[in-house]
Amino acid sequence: MIVLLTRHSNNQPVSLTKQIADSGEGQVWETNLKGYLAKIYHDPSPARIAKLKVMLANPPADPMLSHNHVSIAWVSDLLKDNNGKYLGFLMPAIADSKQLSSICNPKRRNKLAPGFNWYYLHVTALNTAWIIQAIHAKGYVLGDIKLENILVNDRAMTAVIDTDSFQVRDSQSNQVYRCTVGSEGFTPPELLGKDFDTTNQTEIHDRFRLGVLIHYLLFGYHPFSGNWTGVGESPEQTELIKQGYWYGGHNSPIRASKTTIPLDVVHPELKKLFLKCFNEGHTQPNLRPTAQNWHNALEVGVNQLTSCSRVDSHHYSKTYGKCYWCDRAADLGVDIFPNVISAAKTLPTATQTLPVSKSSSQNPKQLNSSSPHTLAKPTSNNSPPPRQVLTNLASVAQSTTKPATSGKFKFSFKKKLLAGGIGAVLFLLSVTQIYGFSKYELSPFSQIFLITSLYSKSYLKQTLNTHGERRVHSVAISPDGETLVSGARDGTIKIWHLKTGELKSTLNADGEWIYEWVFSVAISPDGET
């Protein structure tokens, strides 16, 4: 059944085409307007409509709009029936995104968002703090912050939904429209047991909720959880929050378990904020870090993340000094950030973008606070090379007609030209990907594969999966045409047998080089070095 309504602003007809959600408050519908959903209240009381009008007149500045991403599902227009009665509102649709709960839990993350590593989680947290900072700047209190009310896409760009539940103050009449709902585990201790229908909240209450949310993202579990070492059975989580018992607390009966990720693995600025939020902030809520404090610290933390030389999908803070995830996997036998081997068909489709910078396979790009941050879509190690690149390589090879000659020191004209073509393509792709992104948004990049075509007129005989997701900066072919050497951003040099595609050996300086990337490789004329 199609329901017809009218927009408040211009009397444009709006069709409700498909119901996609239903709650105690109202129904969410798809509409005939591209990019817009409608929320229709079960009880469209005058107070609800008055609140929507205040929101419509005072929207927060969306920090992601310059990146063509809606990060706040704000009221866009009111909807009324044929009798002029207001029933609900229009809001932007947040497409191709998942709830944060899909990426916090390692098992769900590896199933629903493979390739979403610790770098992406940092970026997701940063973007979320950025959005909440913008909302607070306009005087709004989110109130019901929880994993289900924030969406994220596969470029780590987030969006806040359910905005009509915010606490809204009318600056003209000073009327406060309260947030009457809260979520277990996210309610600050000073609000526990309070009646939300009669309690005015402040940004300080949101600060506790944001701290819990960021902890979920970076560590995968609630901060007020762990091993109970006190007398009797462990209290419920609500009581732990009320008492300020968490695994990082002073003399807390909650202690870290074997699977607890230590606070030391994050950048010291982030650790400092967690301690401030849940220790000092327990008795003095005004000392809790603001959204801007979190944003600034996450920016520093992201800039200090580096890639593991052993596992492509591992990232760790330079301040920690080693890959915690490798050590944890060795101790527990479980890697919560495993390499994605064949995720090309399962990765979600990116549609939204927000603030950060870097792809899962690159060293981080430096961030600053002048604009939002976006990530390239996570990629698998088995993505095929771009069709256009293959076509160009084939054309280069087939344009040479002089047959290859054998001999240890004879490097044929065809091989030279093909090697030059490969090198040129790799160089252009590398330069494009290194410099071809905006300050805070990385474009999705193609993996670079070395293609040999020296022994067949097809010229596309095999593909070498070289350095996982790391960009190849340089290749060299031995004078006898038997060996190919590649150097890449993972700090390794790999030696390949061209006829079989077999990886013969890997040279790794174990971090002793000044630069982590290998920029150029060459083979001596005698083919020995």
Side-chain angles (χ1 to χ4, degrees):
M1 179 181 69
I2 296 178
V3 180
L4 294 177
L5 298 175
T6 305
R7 295 183 66 162
H8 165 76
S9 61
N10 56 11
N11 291 322
Q12 177 187 10
V14 176
S15 300
L16 307 183
T17 57
K18 180 183 178 182
Q19 182 180 322
I20 59 176
D22 192 356
S23 66
E25 197 174 53
Q27 300 172 340
V28 177
W29 290 74
E30 292 180 350
T31 73
N32 63 317
L33 302 180
K34 185 177 180 180
Y36 286 94
L37 300 177
K39 183 169 183 178
I40 307 301
Y41 291 118
H42 298 311
D43 174 26
S45 65
R48 285 190 187 277
I49 303 305
K51 179 180 181 179
L52 294 178
K53 289 181 177 179
V54 174
M55 295 177 67
L56 189 59
N58 301 279
D62 191 326
M64 312 304 165
L65 285 184
S66 61
H67 287 247
N68 298 316
H69 173 74
V70 175
S71 65
I72 307 174
W74 202 251
V75 179
S76 301
D77 206 344
L78 300 182
L79 293 174
K80 53 187 178 181
D81 62 15
N82 293 333
N83 298 320
K85 180 182 179 181
Y86 293 107
L87 301 179
F89 63 97
L90 282 175
M91 58 185 171
I94 312 297
D96 298 322
S97 295
K98 294 176 171 61
Q99 296 176 346
L100 286 193
S101 56
S102 299
I103 64 168
C104 288
N105 179 275
K107 289 185 178 180
R108 295 193 69 193
R109 178 174 63 243
N110 293 332
K111 180 180 179 180
L112 301 175
F116 219 95
N117 56 41
W118 209 42
Y119 185 92
Y120 276 72
L121 293 174
H122 272 74
V123 170
T124 301
L126 194 161
N127 288 342
T128 304
W130 188 296
I131 300 168
I132 293 177
Q133 181 182 338
I135 294 170
H136 285 167
K138 198 67 175 180
Y140 295 107
V141 177
L142 281 75
D144 191 25
I145 297 178
K146 57 183 178 180
L147 299 176
E148 291 74 20
N149 280 353
I150 299 177
L151 306 181
V152 61
N153 66 14
D154 60 9
R155 299 181 67 188
M157 304 181 79
T158 53
V160 175
I161 61 174
D162 197 29
T163 60
D164 61 312
S165 68
F166 288 4
Q167 177 179 288
V168 174
R169 181 184 294 274
D170 186 346
S171 59
Q172 302 296 322
S173 64
N174 210 34
Q175 171 72 38
V176 176
Y177 301 96
R178 300 183 180 93
C179 176
T180 59
V181 292
S183 295
E184 184 177 352
F186 288 85
T187 301
E190 64 273 19
L191 288 185
L192 291 173
K194 295 289 183 66
D195 183 0
F196 288 165
D197 287 333
T198 59
T199 302
N200 289 345
Q201 300 189 44
T202 70
E203 174 215 331
I204 292 173
H205 300 133
D206 275 354
R207 295 182 192 177
F208 176 86
R209 300 174 177 118
L210 180 57
V212 172
L213 187 79
I214 292 174
H215 192 281
Y216 259 122
L217 283 168
L218 300 188
F219 296 92
Y221 47 82
H222 198 284
F224 289 79
S225 61
N227 284 339
W228 173 253
T229 61
V231 178
E233 295 185 359
S234 174
E236 296 293 331
Q237 187 179 78
T238 298
E239 184 61 25
L240 294 177
I241 293 174
K242 188 174 183 179
Q243 299 298 328
Y245 293 157
W246 72 298
Y247 70 94
H250 305 303
N251 301 317
S252 171
I254 288 287
R255 296 299 180 189
S257 67
K258 185 178 180 180
T259 58
T260 299
I261 301 168
L263 283 173
D264 288 338
V265 302
V266 298
H267 190 276
E269 290 298 314
L270 290 170
K271 178 182 177 180
K272 185 188 303 182
L273 294 192
F274 282 122
L275 295 173
K276 193 172 184 179
C277 184
F278 303 128
N279 286 342
E280 300 166 54
H282 179 70
T283 54
Q284 302 180 73
N286 61 300
L287 296 182
R288 292 172 187 150
T290 66
Q292 184 173 358
N293 293 150
W294 282 110
H295 171 234
N296 294 342
L298 283 161
E299 209 162 55
V300 173
V302 169
N303 284 333
Q304 288 296 310
L305 289 177
T306 188
S307 303
C308 174
S309 61
R310 290 173 289 177
V311 181
D312 290 346
S313 58
H314 287 182
H315 295 79
Y316 62 93
S317 179
K318 294 177 184 177
T319 58
Y320 187 69
K322 60 180 180 178
C323 183
Y324 168 77
W325 310 113
C326 284
D327 293 345
R328 189 177 192 272
D331 291 341
L332 301 179
V334 178
D335 188 350
I336 64 173
F337 296 113
N339 269 334
V340 180
I341 302 302
S342 57
K345 294 182 180 180
T346 60
L347 283 172
T349 302
T351 56
Q352 284 142 0
T353 43
L354 226 138
V356 181
S357 79
K358 135 167 185 173
S359 120
S360 61
S361 63
Q362 296 174 293
N363 287 341
K365 180 180 185 296
Q366 293 295 300
L367 304 183
N368 60 52
S369 58
S370 61
S371 78
H373 324 295
T374 63
L375 280 182
K377 176 180 177 180
T379 58
S380 74
N381 291 339
N382 287 344
S383 300
R387 181 177 300 275
Q388 188 59 45
V389 174
L390 293 179
T391 303
N392 291 343
L393 286 175
S395 300
V396 169
Q398 292 171 352
S399 66
T400 62
T401 56
K402 184 177 179 179
T405 58
S406 61
K408 186 172 182 179
F409 299 103
K410 293 182 180 180
F411 193 21
S412 72
F413 174 74
K414 179 191 292 185
K415 293 179 182 178
K416 288 180 180 179
L417 184 56
L418 180 61
I422 293 175
V425 171
L426 293 173
F427 174 77
L428 290 174
L429 285 175
S430 297
V431 169
T432 299
Q433 296 309 324
I434 295 171
Y435 300 108
F437 47 73
S438 65
K439 179 174 282 189
Y440 285 105
E441 180 173 11
L442 286 179
S443 303
F445 62 91
S446 299
Q447 289 180 295
I448 298 173
F449 291 79
L450 299 180
I451 303 167
T452 63
S453 57
L454 306 181
Y455 307 100
S456 169
K457 289 185 178 180
S458 70
Y459 304 112
L460 300 174
K461 186 173 182 179
Q462 59 178 306
T463 298
L464 300 182
N465 293 321
T466 55
H467 295 259
E469 294 182 349
R470 298 296 185 263
R471 290 203 188 97
V472 176
H473 280 288
S474 182
V475 296
I477 299 175
S478 63
D480 62 2
E482 296 290 327
T483 303
L484 185 144
V485 177
S486 58
R489 287 193 178 193
D490 60 357
T492 66
I493 295 173
K494 294 184 182 287
I495 303 173
W496 307 81
H497 191 283
L498 271 178
K499 284 186 178 180
T500 64
E502 176 189 0
L503 176 62
K504 297 167 66 175
S505 63
T506 299
L507 305 181
N508 191 332
D510 293 328
E512 294 179 1
W513 292 332
I514 295 176
Y515 296 102
E516 294 181 350
W517 300 350
V518 177
F519 290 96
S520 184
V521 293
I523 300 176
S524 61
D526 62 3
E528 296 296 323
T529 305

